[in-house]
Structure formats: structure tokens, C-alpha cells
Amino acid sequence: MDGFPRIPLGEWVADGLDWFKGTFDWLLDFVTIVVRWLVEGLADVLVAIPFPALILVFALIGWLVRSWQLAVGTVLTMLLIVAMEQWENAMLTLALVLVAALIAVVIAVPLGILAARHDAFSAVIKPILDFMQTMPAFVYLIPAVIFFSIGFVPGVFATVLFSVAPGVRFTELGIRGVDAETVEAGYAFGATPGKILRGIQLPLAMPTIMAGINQVIMLALSMAVVAGMAGANGLGKEVVAAISTLNIAKGVEAGLGVVILAVFLDRVTAALGNPGDYRSSLLGALRRRRAARRSAPVAKAA
């Protein structure tokens, strides 16, 4: 390798990050204040609510969108988190994941729509998404800590970068998968591109978009553990502490807490994407009752 010219790519990236931090320090301070307020505010609310009431709310959400079995499972598994004395850490992690996933979805869905409607933009953004999805998760902590020091904010920043890609891909995939003849029919009736997007493409693509949001949440939860290395409080920080002290018991309990949150969020978001598949949910029962009321006068008249 002697004589082969070395390209100092790493130094260039480090210089670029230093330049960005020095130039946009005011913007980073603003982002820090807003994100910290969102995460810590939500975490304070979740922790302040008595755990029986919050578990009941989670169970009702599960029953509302999916089934009573999910509601029972939610109660049992959430009580297990309480029994392991990981409830507060779980709520801190849930606050981080929800805020990071919300920011990622707000960024991903418009980018996915733009990519679906403009081939040139799609061609540009695809290699960027490939780069983001193949980059090791730990690397995202480097700019996060440089920009935002330690705590919740770098955790949210790294989590958003790590989880935003599937949201963009699934949104583009869903809109491109809408039947072209249906879209042409919309244009034939004089609908504008905006109305076609809101009235035809987004509703028909919603199951695919929700699958993308589901993936965003799952990746955000997996990154929440890595974010613990940046000082973000919650289950991730407990896992990192367990690794550094070889405390197997703490590591198992914190890891199990992450799994329970992941299963609950996965089942709920999956049900939101295909509500018609879950007839035993409360929403399914309401839809059946509404359909029966509409069909009753027709049957009586016949």
C-alpha cells in the first residue's frame, strides 16, 4: 500500500461537521430546546399518570383497533414491566420513540409523495436512502453527540436518521402502486392533482404507508437501545449499564421491556393499516352495527 495516495475522507467529513456546528449553532440550539421540550414533556406526562390508568388506556387502544386478546395481553405484559420495576424507564423510552417516530413520519411521508410524483427526485433520493439504511447504527451517534452533546436530544436525532428511510420507501411504493386507471378516471372527471392525491392516492395507499410507519416505529425502538449510549434515559440506558457492569439480570429485564413495547406498538400500528381485517375490535363492532342500521330499511322495503 506504500505510495498509494490516501484520501482523507474521514477528516473532510469531520471538518464539515465542525463547520456545520459552528455556522448553524443557533439552529442546533433551537432544535435542542424544541426536541427536549417535546420528549421531556411527554415523558413527564406518562410518568405522572398512575400506571393502572395508563395500562388501562393502552389496553383500550389495543381492543379499539385490534382485539380483546391484545387488550388482555397488554395488561399482563405491562404489569410484568411494573413488576420488574422498569415502568418509569419504559415510559421514558416510549416518549423518545413516539417523538422520534413522529418527526420521522413528518419528514418521510412528504418525501415519499415527492418521490412517487417525480422520477428525477426518486432517482436522487434512492441512493441516499440506501446509504442511510446500510450505515451502522452506532455511526449516527457521532454527529448526534457532536451537535447536541448527550441526553434525549442526540438520541432522538440519531433515531430519526436511522428510522426515516422505510417511511419514504413505503410511501413512494404505496402511491406508485395505486391503479393507474383509477387515477386517470379522477383526471377525466376534472380533479386536480392535489385532489387526486388526497382523495384517491393517499386513501388507497394507506395500508402500505401504515406498513412503512410500522417499520419506522420498530427501527426507532431498536435504535432507542443504541441511543442509551448517548445518555438518553430509559430502557436503552439500562441495557448499556448492564453491559458495562455485566449485570445479566438488569440487561434481561430492560431488554424484555423493549420487546414488550415493540410488540404492543407493532400490533397497534399494523391494525391501523388494515382495520377491516380485525372484526373483533371495538371499531369493527361499531362498523358492523352501522352497516346493519343502513341495510335494515332496505331489507324492510324489499
Side-chain angles (χ1 to χ4, degrees):
M1 302 297 285
D2 291 340
F4 194 84
R6 180 181 183 278
I7 301 176
L9 184 61
E11 285 82 352
W12 293 345
V13 173
D15 291 341
L17 292 176
D18 290 338
W19 172 84
F20 187 88
K21 180 175 173 53
T23 306
F24 297 100
D25 196 43
W26 58 273
L27 177 62
L28 297 175
D29 289 341
F30 175 75
V31 172
T32 299
I33 292 171
V34 172
V35 174
R36 183 181 296 160
W37 179 77
L38 286 173
V39 178
E40 293 184 352
L42 181 56
D44 289 344
V45 170
L46 292 175
V47 172
I49 298 174
F51 74 85
L54 206 48
I55 290 175
L56 182 62
V57 170
F58 291 153
L60 286 175
I61 292 173
W63 192 5
L64 185 70
V65 302
R66 192 170 181 112
S67 64
W68 64 267
Q69 292 93 334
L70 178 61
V72 173
T74 300
V75 171
L76 295 177
T77 53
M78 293 291 177
L79 285 176
L80 178 60
I81 293 179
V82 176
M84 294 188 299
E85 297 183 346
Q86 294 291 343
W87 180 254
E88 185 171 338
N89 289 322
M91 293 304 100
L92 296 177
T93 297
L94 183 62
L96 187 149
V97 169
L98 290 179
V99 171
L102 177 63
I103 295 173
V105 169
V106 168
I107 295 172
V109 172
L111 288 178
I113 294 172
L114 202 58
R117 297 169 74 92
H118 301 282
D119 292 338
F121 182 75
S122 177
V124 170
I125 202 169
K126 275 182 180 174
I128 297 175
L129 297 177
D130 292 339
F131 175 82
M132 293 175 70
Q133 284 190 289
T134 52
M135 180 67 72
F138 289 96
V139 176
Y140 289 119
L141 291 180
I142 298 173
V145 173
I146 290 175
F147 291 159
F148 305 107
S149 184
I150 60 173
F152 273 126
V153 182
V156 171
F157 178 79
T159 303
V160 170
L161 287 180
F162 185 66
S163 62
V164 73
V168 180
R169 290 189 189 279
F170 276 73
T171 302
E172 180 184 1
L173 181 66
I175 292 179
R176 286 186 182 274
V178 174
D179 183 46
E181 292 184 359
T182 307
V183 176
E184 288 298 326
Y187 281 117
F189 281 99
T192 61
K195 288 183 178 177
I196 289 176
L197 176 66
R198 293 190 299 273
I200 297 176
Q201 292 176 314
L202 283 178
L204 292 178
M206 193 51 66
T208 308
I209 294 173
M210 286 305 301
I213 293 175
N214 177 280
Q215 290 299 306
V216 168
I217 293 175
M218 292 299 101
L219 287 177
L221 259 174
S222 67
M223 190 64 185
V225 175
V226 180
M229 298 181 68
N233 292 325
L235 295 171
K237 196 171 185 178
E238 290 291 296
V239 172
V240 173
I243 294 173
S244 61
T245 59
L246 294 179
N247 190 331
I248 298 175
K250 180 187 286 188
V252 169
E253 292 174 356
L256 188 57
V258 174
V259 172
I260 291 171
L261 287 180
V263 170
F264 173 73
L265 293 174
D266 174 67
R267 300 299 186 269
V268 169
T269 52
L272 289 174
N274 298 288
D277 293 345
Y278 302 98
R279 296 175 59 82
S280 61
S281 67
L282 287 177
L283 288 178
L286 290 175
R287 280 193 295 270
R288 289 199 303 277
R289 180 174 297 180
R290 194 180 302 122
R293 285 179 181 172
R294 288 176 180 170
S295 59
V298 177
K300 191 179 291 183

